[in-house]
Amino acid sequence: MVVKYDSKSKMRHLLVVVSILCLQTTVFSERQFSIDGKVLELDDSNFDSVISSFDFVFVDFYAPWCGHCKRLSPELDAAAPILAGLKQPVVIAKVNADKFTRLASTYDIDGFPTLKIFMHGIPVDYYGPRKADLLVRYLKKFIAADVAILGSDSAIIDFVEEAGTYFPIYIGFGLNETLISKLAIKYKKRAWFSVANDFSEDVMVRYDFDKVPALVSLRPSYNERSVFYGPFEEEFLEEFIKQNLLPLAVPINHETLKMLKDDERKIVLTIIEDEVEEKSHKLIKLLKAAASANRGLVFGYVGVKQWEDFTYTFGVSKKTKLPKMIVWDGNEEYILVIGSESIDEEDQGSQISRFLEGYREGRTEVKSVSGPSLMGYINSLIGIGTVYIIVFLVAILMLIRSIKDGDDEGVRVGSGEKVDDHAESSAAERNEYRSGDKED
């Protein structure tokens, strides 16, 4: 018997077949790459499939011999189940980039660990924290709405609480979403953005503004707040946002240096003995006050005890009288203000003012840094190629030394191997503790 199909029947049949195929594909994909809270191990055969299967994939490009990678691994294991349980799950995966060199080359991996977030298949470099709890907060940022719409006091409070303390928070009270949406997209990786349409006077008191519209900037971890009342034009809004991405007084470390690379302002850097001392806390408060009145500059501080190598690049030694203030633009030179090379413990506020006055009046002396520039510190690393070159050179040197020793004293069995092990171990130690973005 011959069954005839009309056009409608053919269409229904075709849709059924397509639906079955799609269902089978989905089941196969879920069976192959399930979101079970475990870290996925990727290689050449499954990398592209995983990236295309999930909206958000956090990938750790690592090397088995890398010390930093080994310390990061348990943090990723702890974060994976939490991120997998979000409404918009984030999958954590890792790639042995030392073994799968094609993937390493494709994504320009030249140091370990290198971390990237693949959002809908598009890779974005990750420079955030690496402890499990902070990692979770940071990655939540990437899957959030560009601008959150808040319709009540409780929604505002909940938003601030859930945002955490790592990123600055911007809340536009009585502000049209369209005014900040473009900037919210531009700075999404560095801050939380929201607009509040309905709120009480209690909220105005809580966040210390007295009229609307107003854009409030919060830095919970530094207990800082700033209010912008306009003009609400993109140029002025962006300037306010950029100035408040950093705290008033920035503690200088590897993480904050990465943030400073995108800031065009010069850095007023105060070098102190120890950041945790009580007298340092008093000085930092004065630096915050100076920063609030001089928004055209970035005020930073660093302790010799916290980062000795960095402070030595600015001529600090054991004989240097601290605190010492300089102006640095992130390049190979820095500026001393003549007569304000150091700060006494008495009346430090006036001395900071005199330093800034002397800088603006040009009573300065230019010096060369004895170490890397800001970008040099950020990018200082030993890449894969460099590691191979070092190992090769060490091997050649050991071979030459072995031949020479053999000529002079005869061959000493085992001596070459012992020296080789020591040299490679020393090289590995230097690699592991080299500063910079790519740590190994």
Side-chain angles (χ1 to χ4, degrees):
M1 182 176 64
V2 178
V3 178
K4 294 183 178 180
Y5 290 98
D6 57 22
S7 59
K8 290 184 178 179
S9 298
K10 288 180 179 179
M11 183 60 69
R12 284 197 297 270
H13 180 72
L14 181 60
L15 289 173
V16 170
V17 172
V18 171
S19 299
I20 291 172
L21 289 174
C22 289
L23 180 61
Q24 288 176 341
T25 302
T26 302
V27 170
F28 176 77
S29 178
E30 289 180 351
R31 198 176 292 158
Q32 189 178 8
F33 311 117
S34 59
I35 304 178
D36 57 4
K38 294 181 180 178
V39 177
L40 299 179
E41 186 75 46
L42 305 185
D43 53 36
D44 289 329
S45 67
N46 63 7
F47 185 90
D48 292 336
S49 298
V50 169
I51 297 304
S52 61
S53 296
F54 304 110
D55 291 339
F56 303 99
V57 186
F58 179 82
V59 182
D60 167 25
F61 292 88
Y62 74 97
W65 47 261
C66 163
H68 294 286
C69 301
K70 292 175 184 177
R71 288 191 286 274
L72 176 62
S73 183
E75 302 295 336
L76 298 182
D77 289 336
I82 302 172
L83 292 167
L86 299 176
K87 290 181 180 179
Q88 283 269 21
V90 178
V91 175
I92 294 186
K94 59 183 179 181
V95 177
N96 183 346
D98 200 35
K99 179 179 180 181
F100 300 104
T101 54
R102 183 189 68 81
L103 287 172
S105 176
T106 299
Y107 295 102
D108 298 322
I109 309 303
D110 56 5
F112 303 115
T114 293
L115 307 174
K116 293 181 182 287
I117 305 170
F118 287 78
M119 298 187 288
H120 304 286
I122 299 173
V124 176
D125 290 331
Y126 175 87
Y127 299 119
R130 299 179 180 184
K131 292 296 182 182
D133 55 340
L134 296 177
L135 177 69
V136 169
R137 281 194 181 274
Y138 198 101
L139 290 180
K140 282 181 178 179
K141 178 80 199 68
F142 284 84
I143 63 175
D146 296 330
V147 181
I149 309 301
L150 312 175
S152 65
D153 288 7
S154 60
I156 296 167
I157 293 169
D158 289 344
F159 174 77
V160 172
E161 187 174 322
E162 290 175 10
T165 61
Y166 190 82
F167 294 98
I169 301 166
Y170 295 92
I171 309 175
F173 290 96
L175 202 64
N176 192 307
E177 177 191 355
T178 58
L179 287 175
I180 62 170
S181 58
K182 183 178 177 181
L183 294 171
I185 293 170
K186 183 175 181 179
Y187 293 100
K188 179 173 181 176
K189 290 188 290 182
R190 301 182 63 183
W192 293 95
F193 292 88
S194 66
V195 292
N197 297 327
D198 193 8
F199 48 90
S200 69
E201 289 187 7
D202 291 340
V203 167
M204 296 178 72
V205 173
R206 184 186 186 101
Y207 296 113
D208 197 24
F209 65 100
D210 55 13
K211 62 180 181 179
V212 292
L215 180 60
V216 175
S217 165
L218 306 173
R219 291 295 311 226
S221 58
Y222 295 92
N223 195 29
E224 293 177 3
R225 181 186 299 111
S226 185
V227 182
F228 179 72
Y229 291 114
F232 292 103
E233 298 172 14
E234 185 174 327
E235 176 187 355
F236 301 106
L237 277 168
E238 182 166 18
E239 188 65 22
F240 175 78
I241 289 170
K242 286 168 63 177
Q243 288 180 353
N244 287 277
L245 287 171
L246 295 165
L248 287 171
V250 185
I252 301 298
N253 51 48
H254 292 291
E255 206 62 45
T256 54
L257 279 183
K258 296 170 195 172
M259 299 177 185
L260 285 168
K261 72 182 178 65
D262 295 323
D263 200 307
E264 298 176 354
R265 294 175 292 173
K266 287 184 170 58
I267 305 163
V268 177
L269 179 63
T270 302
I271 302 170
I272 54 183
E273 185 66 40
D274 186 351
E275 294 175 13
V276 301
E277 290 180 344
E278 181 61 32
K279 61 181 181 181
S280 296
H281 292 168
K282 294 178 180 178
L283 176 57
I284 291 168
K285 287 182 180 179
L286 294 172
L287 293 175
K288 287 183 178 182
S292 183
N294 296 271
R295 288 290 191 170
L297 297 167
V298 174
F299 284 72
Y301 62 91
V302 62
V304 174
K305 194 169 184 178
Q306 280 70 34
W307 198 355
E308 186 176 49
D309 290 345
F310 180 78
T311 62
Y312 280 10
T313 63
F314 300 103
V316 172
S317 67
K318 293 181 179 179
K319 297 180 180 179
T320 303
K321 185 179 178 181
L322 299 176
K324 175 180 179 177
M325 291 187 75
I326 63 167
V327 178
W328 186 41
D329 63 1
N331 292 315
E332 286 76 19
E333 295 179 338
Y334 65 94
I335 295 172
L336 290 175
V337 174
I338 298 171
S340 297
E341 290 84 357
S342 61
I343 300 177
D344 297 326
E345 291 191 12
E346 299 297 326
D347 196 14
Q348 291 180 328
S350 297
Q351 293 177 71
I352 293 171
S353 296
R354 284 197 295 273
F355 175 90
L356 294 172
E357 182 181 337
Y359 167 67
R360 289 197 171 94
E361 292 178 356
R363 299 196 301 270
T364 58
E365 180 183 359
V366 177
K367 295 278 190 178
S368 296
V369 299
S370 58
S373 65
L374 184 148
M375 288 306 298
Y377 269 104
I378 294 171
N379 295 321
S380 59
L381 55 91
I382 291 185
I384 299 171
T386 311
V387 171
Y388 290 150
I389 291 170
I390 290 174
V391 172
F392 176 74
L393 290 176
V394 168
I396 293 296
L397 288 172
M398 292 304 102
L399 179 61
I400 293 171
R401 180 173 176 177
S402 176
I403 293 171
K404 182 180 178 181
D405 289 346
D407 289 341
D408 293 343
E409 302 176 14
V411 177
R412 290 174 289 180
V413 177
S415 62
E417 183 179 353
K418 185 174 181 181
V419 173
D420 247 352
D421 288 344
H422 174 73
E424 290 184 14
S425 174
S426 299
E429 277 187 27
R430 289 195 297 272
N431 294 350
E432 183 170 346
Y433 293 103
R434 180 179 279 261
S435 63
D437 180 29
K438 308 293 176 52
E439 292 173 326
D440 276 349

